[in-house]
Amino acid sequence: MDITDMARPLDGAGISAFLRSLPARPLLLGLGEARHFVAELGETRNEIFRHLVEHEGYRSFAIESDCLMGLVVDDYVTGGAGTLDDVMARGFSHRFGTAPANRELVRWMRAYNQEHEEKVRFFGFDGPLEYWAASPRQALTALRALLDGPLVDAVVTEETLETLLGPDERWSDEATVMDPSRSIGRSAQARRLRLIADELVALLETQAPRLAAPERARAELYGRTAVGLLRYHHWLADASPVRMSHLSALRDAMMAGNLRAVAEHGPALVFGHNLHLQRPPSRMPLGDLRLEWWSAGAIIAAHLGDRYAYLASAFGTVGEDAPPPGSLEGMLSTLPWERAVVDARRLAAAVKAPDPRVSRDFAYFPIDPAGLDMMDGVVFLRRAAGIAPFPS
């Protein structure tokens, strides 16, 4: 079987040809990571984004990182607030600020905006959480400040809000992941804060006409984040068997809400793990559990239809781990290019029952051949040698 006619070299022409092959111009183009902290994929992503901005009219980039911290990066790339070192330290969660490709991307976006009137934007689309969650303080206090006035005091005074929030350490205790009894998510204070968050979001809706569009968009972000965090904390305190799967689902629902807001700014490249961007149900082992949930990509696809497109990533040799010749990655390794973009649906029709790939790198998720027909394309790198360990 020759799969060369299903693939193109991964360059600007290949990306533009891929976009033209789609049934509609996507508002959100997802580029999935098979593994975090792969230098070659980060560099490839940067090349793709530069081409999309310069030749395809894209104006936004969104990454699987804290949506509130992302405001620091956006303020820098659009207006020069702060320094690059400070932005990389404060503008990313999950230690993504340590990745050289992310630093280069931020530097390029700032330089581009200095030379062009129409700005490119940066967004984090994850919530302020992973398997544990941050305090809702920043989101609630910032939302309240933007809605300043007598009606806000009728919902909650600044003093009452501070009292209900209490010390941030009560909220950000990582031990709640394994021990629901450590969570304060179902305490009386948390229940009252959920009602307050709902009232502030309702108040924002009534006050929307008086807010300028950028101010309103930021207030909506704070509202989504406050409601989502308090909902997540509620389920951190749950002891049922479905707890971890539902927490994963809630996280991706928060991601999807942020991505729908990103789409309002026009075409955007979205970069995150394959598990968060794919259309089929996401599955992941966690200790003795096997988690299953609908990803942000699946949720977005339900709303945007073919205005959402998804490129999964896959690697041939990962470090010293080469794929079996009969595996999907083994077959893709026979392509004549080091980097390729592959028509996923044609590949799905041509490849039947490939050998499974089990990588020795626990952090690498081999592509699931059963989901190929629900992808639009595959970004394939023959070798991923720049594998960085997950920062501790």
Side-chain angles (χ1 to χ4, degrees), residues 24 66 73 128 131-132 205 207 214 270 320 349 373:
D66 185 326
V73 186
Y131 286 113
W132 59 94
E205 189 68 19
Q207 297 297 303
V270 179
E320 300 301 320
D373 61 351

Side-chain angles (χ1 to χ4, degrees), residues 35-381:
R35 187 199 193 279
H36 291 315
F37 297 105
V38 175
E40 293 89 349
L41 183 59
E43 294 160 4
T44 299
R45 173 207 67 190
N46 289 356
E47 293 177 27
I48 292 171
F49 182 62
R50 287 195 295 268
H51 178 80
L52 292 173
V53 170
E54 293 169 349
H55 300 281
E56 298 291 345
Y58 278 57
R59 288 295 176 267
S60 297
F61 175 82
I63 189 171
E64 181 195 330
S65 182
D66 185 326
C67 56
L68 300 186
M69 297 176 80
L71 296 173
V72 173
V73 186
D74 190 54
D75 287 344
Y76 174 76
V77 301
T78 56
T83 66
L84 181 57
D85 285 343
D86 179 58
V87 165
M88 299 312 295
R90 297 193 302 113
F92 291 84
S93 59
H94 314 329
R95 305 294 180 90
F96 290 156
T98 65
N102 288 342
R103 184 183 185 90
E104 174 56 24
L105 176 73
V106 173
R107 186 208 62 77
W108 181 84
M109 292 178 72
R110 175 60 189 148
Y112 180 92
N113 283 339
Q114 287 176 306
E115 298 177 359
H116 296 82
E117 185 172 344
E118 188 177 4
K119 307 302 184 188
V120 290
R121 299 287 306 277
F122 180 98
F123 298 93
F125 70 88
D126 202 353
L129 47 85
E130 194 162 0
Y131 286 113
W132 59 94
S135 167
R137 177 185 305 280
Q138 180 184 357
L140 284 170
T141 57
L143 176 58
R144 186 189 179 281
L146 284 171
L147 296 172
D148 190 28
L151 281 172
V152 175
D153 283 336
V155 173
V156 63
T157 65
E158 186 176 353
E159 294 76 16
T160 298
L161 184 58
E162 286 296 324
T163 299
L164 290 170
L165 287 166
D168 285 349
E169 293 76 14
R170 295 196 314 163
W171 297 95
S172 56
D173 182 3
E174 295 179 17
T176 57
V177 177
M178 303 307 297
D179 184 358
S181 68
R182 297 282 295 268
S183 172
I184 64 166
R186 297 189 178 185
S187 65
Q189 298 99 312
R191 288 196 296 270
R192 187 173 174 191
L193 285 169
R194 289 187 77 181
L195 178 60
I196 288 169
D198 180 73
E199 290 290 346
L200 289 175
V201 169
L203 182 57
L204 170 61
E205 189 68 19
T206 69
Q207 297 297 303
R210 75 170 181 83
L211 297 173
E215 191 177 37
R216 185 170 65 250
R218 188 161 289 206
E220 289 169 349
L221 170 62
Y222 290 136
R224 287 194 307 274
T225 305
V227 170
L229 275 175
L230 288 163
R231 185 180 293 131
Y232 194 91
H233 276 290
H234 176 85
W235 281 92
L236 272 172
D238 183 71
S240 73
V242 302
R243 173 180 181 260
M244 293 305 298
S245 284
H246 191 54
L247 286 171
S248 298
L250 289 175
R251 179 187 179 193
D252 273 68
M254 289 182 69
M255 291 182 178
N258 288 330
L259 288 175
R260 292 179 74 183
V262 170
E264 294 178 4
H265 296 272
L269 179 66
V270 179
F271 187 69
H273 202 284
N274 285 338
L275 289 175
H276 294 304
L277 298 183
Q278 65 189 31
R279 291 187 182 92
S282 295
R283 298 179 178 89
M284 186 180 74
L286 183 67
D288 296 331
L289 301 174
R290 183 165 177 79
L291 311 187
E292 182 172 334
W293 71 99
W294 290 108
S295 75
I299 297 169
I300 282 292
H303 290 281
L304 294 185
D306 57 15
R307 302 304 303 276
Y308 173 68
Y310 168 53
L311 282 161
S313 71
F315 310 141
T317 300
V318 181
E320 300 301 320
D321 182 21
S327 68
L328 188 61
E329 286 96 333
M331 296 176 193
L332 292 173
S333 295
T334 66
L335 290 169
W337 312 290
E338 288 296 317
R339 306 183 310 177
V341 57
V342 186
D343 185 319
R345 291 186 172 88
R346 290 182 64 195
L347 186 63
V351 176
K352 302 300 182 184
D355 296 338
R357 180 180 188 179
V358 179
S359 176
R360 292 193 297 270
D361 180 355
F362 78 94
Y364 175 65
F365 284 68
I367 200 165
D368 181 3
L372 271 176
D373 61 351
M374 296 185 72
M375 302 172 188
D376 297 290
V378 176
V379 164
F380 180 73
L381 308 184

